[in-house]
Amino acid sequence: MWLPFHTVCLGSRTVSRRSVAAALLKCSKHRENVSLFSHSAAAQTCKALQFRNHGDPSKVVQLEDVDLPPIGEKDVLVKMLAAPINPSDINMIQGTYAILPDLPAVGGNEGVAQVVEVGRNVTSLKTGDWVIPKDAGQGTWRTEAVLAEGDVISLSNDIPLLSAATLGVNPCTAFRMLSDFEELKPGDSVIQNAANSGVGQAVIQIAAARGIKTINVVRDRPEFTQLSDRLKAIGGTHVIKEEALRRPEMRELFKSCPKPKLALNGVGGQSATELLRHLQFGGSMVTYGGMAKKPVTVPVSALIFKDVKVRGFWVTQWKRDHSSDGRAFRAMLDELCQLIRQGKLTAPACTEVSLLDFNKALDAAMQPFTSAKQVFIM
């Protein structure tokens, strides 16, 4: 079920994320003749990247003024600060994702915002707080929004903006897959494809912080050496090309690295099959993506003679399963933020763009061999 949400914007007024006090002062002056928590007769608008039909993002996404209602008693008015473009956002616009919003819809499922105003019955948030969405579908590619208090969760504002904006999907996915499927101890190893993706980079860093070795598989490309050096610099133990998975050199690799207990598959197809071949007895392969758009084929021998487990993971479902008790989500965010403060978890390479440049950003996000994540800065 797609949950409805309400958004409201502050017209052409721009609130600086670098000056909370100034933003709040402007907000107060703007609304001095209107009861803070009552319905305003005047319609308000914000800028939002909206799509009215599913299809090619370059054709269906438009930057529009959206008229929206005012804040309610259990709502918070937020100023969006930054919101990335993720593959799931593209799939949602194309109409191929597992959950789809009612149309017209605002794009974007991830991002960080700052609370500008709170409804009279809001208890868990205050002005100035940073918040991120608890669930998909809130439409983060916009300048402002009014969201229900229960639809967002506060985030420490002493971490870098790009880390905050990209925290809710990829690092959470990496964290849960490293925590929930196999009991991994320091010295153990994990193998993953799509190692240069946002999830892959988070896996490398979280694993390194836990003393876990990573075997990172990427597709061959002209700048392979530079990519390999970058992944090793953030903690990757080994970086190899997909073709190497089928070569005798893997035997040499496993002389210095134990066979992995866990394989993380974001590609599918033959790449996933090759990951399975290198799992130790009883290990797990967890699929969280399918970039190759090909099915996962599991050799019978892997099931019979190695007793491997083949699982799937979707962070949106994990969040929904834990929505009634927010302690697990809170604990995960706190641990991830602590890694960020310690310099052990950084945001992926990002390209900052404005909403006005949305066509260029969407095009860049859909290119193959993309390492930099496009992030809208509001």
Side-chain angles (χ1 to χ4, degrees):
M1 178 179 177
W2 192 261
L3 300 178
F5 62 93
H6 301 285
T7 54
V8 66
C9 306
L10 306 181
S12 59
R13 176 170 54 83
T14 300
V15 180
S16 170
R17 58 184 165 87
R18 295 182 176 85
S19 177
V20 180
L24 296 176
L25 180 60
K26 290 181 181 180
C27 178
S28 176
K29 290 180 179 179
H30 180 74
R31 292 168 170 258
E32 60 185 347
N33 295 321
V34 180
S35 175
L36 285 179
F37 307 117
S38 64
H39 288 281
S40 169
Q44 299 183 44
T45 62
C46 73
K47 295 291 185 182
L49 292 176
Q50 190 165 240
F51 56 101
R52 300 178 180 278
N53 301 287
H54 295 298
D56 182 347
S58 66
K59 296 179 180 178
V60 300
V61 175
Q62 298 293 329
L63 181 61
E64 299 180 356
D65 292 318
V66 179
D67 293 328
L68 300 160
I71 187 173
E73 292 184 350
K74 290 289 290 181
D75 295 335
V76 290
L77 172 65
V78 301
K79 154 71 178 171
M80 289 303 305
L81 302 179
I85 302 176
N86 289 318
S88 58
D89 303 326
I90 300 296
N91 295 153
M92 191 173 284
I93 296 167
Q94 294 168 331
T96 60
Y97 200 55
I99 53 175
L100 298 174
D102 294 332
L103 299 177
V106 175
N109 293 294
E110 184 182 28
V112 61
Q114 187 173 64
V115 176
V116 174
E117 189 175 314
V118 299
R120 77 170 88 226
N121 292 331
V122 171
T123 58
S124 64
L125 299 168
K126 62 183 184 303
T127 56
D129 282 352
W130 278 12
V131 294
I132 63 174
K134 282 185 177 180
D135 198 359
Q138 295 186 21
T140 56
W141 298 349
R142 64 174 76 232
T143 51
E144 291 92 15
V146 163
L147 301 170
E149 177 186 15
D151 287 343
V152 295
I153 187 169
S154 62
L155 192 68
S156 175
N157 62 5
D158 62 351
I159 62 175
L161 179 68
L162 293 177
S163 293
T166 57
L167 186 62
V169 175
N170 292 336
C172 290
T173 297
F175 186 99
R176 296 263 55 101
M177 292 194 300
L178 288 170
S179 304
D180 296 348
F181 293 92
E182 290 289 338
E183 184 178 349
L184 299 173
K185 301 175 182 178
D188 287 340
S189 71
V190 172
I191 189 169
Q192 65 167 341
N193 55 25
N196 60 310
S197 67
V199 171
Q201 293 179 57
V203 165
I204 290 171
Q205 294 175 87
I206 297 169
R210 298 179 179 183
I212 298 166
K213 300 179 180 180
T214 52
I215 304 165
N216 302 285
V217 183
V218 297
R219 291 177 294 176
D220 194 12
R221 62 196 68 203
E223 69 279 11
F224 173 80
T225 300
Q226 296 94 314
L227 175 59
S228 175
D229 291 343
R230 182 160 60 83
L231 295 181
K232 288 179 179 179
I234 63 173
T237 313
H238 302 280
V239 180
I240 62 175
K241 302 174 184 177
E242 282 195 339
E243 304 84 78
L245 289 171
R246 298 180 286 277
R247 293 176 181 166
E249 60 200 70
M250 291 300 292
R251 287 196 292 268
E252 292 298 316
L253 185 151
F254 288 126
K255 289 180 179 179
S256 61
C257 180
K259 283 216 165 187
K261 289 183 177 180
L262 180 67
L264 304 178
N265 168 44
V267 177
Q270 186 63 30
S271 178
T273 304
E274 297 300 334
L275 292 187
L276 269 173
R277 297 187 193 281
H278 297 292
L279 275 178
Q280 64 175 252
F281 182 88
S284 297
M285 183 176 78
V286 181
T287 293
Y288 66 92
M291 290 167 50
K293 299 182 179 179
K294 295 180 180 179
V296 173
T297 302
V298 181
V300 171
S301 59
L303 294 173
I304 296 175
F305 302 118
K306 296 181 69 174
D307 194 26
V308 299
K309 300 178 286 289
V310 181
R311 303 286 302 278
F313 181 75
W314 185 29
V315 72
T316 296
Q317 189 62 51
W318 184 92
K319 291 175 181 177
R320 292 178 177 183
D321 290 343
H322 294 80
S323 61
S324 60
D325 181 359
R327 287 178 295 180
F329 195 7
R330 176 83 273 159
M332 175 172 61
L333 290 181
D334 289 345
E335 187 170 338
L336 289 171
C337 286
Q338 184 62 20
L339 291 177
I340 292 170
R341 292 188 203 97
Q342 295 171 347
K344 296 179 180 179
L345 177 63
T346 60
C350 294
T351 300
E352 300 180 19
V353 295
S354 74
L355 287 180
L356 293 174
D357 294 324
F358 71 93
N359 274 321
K360 182 169 64 175
L362 289 170
D363 181 66
M366 297 176 66
Q367 296 303 310
F369 302 109
T370 300
S371 294
K373 185 178 292 290
Q374 305 293 307
V375 180
F376 292 116
I377 304 296
M378 313 308 176

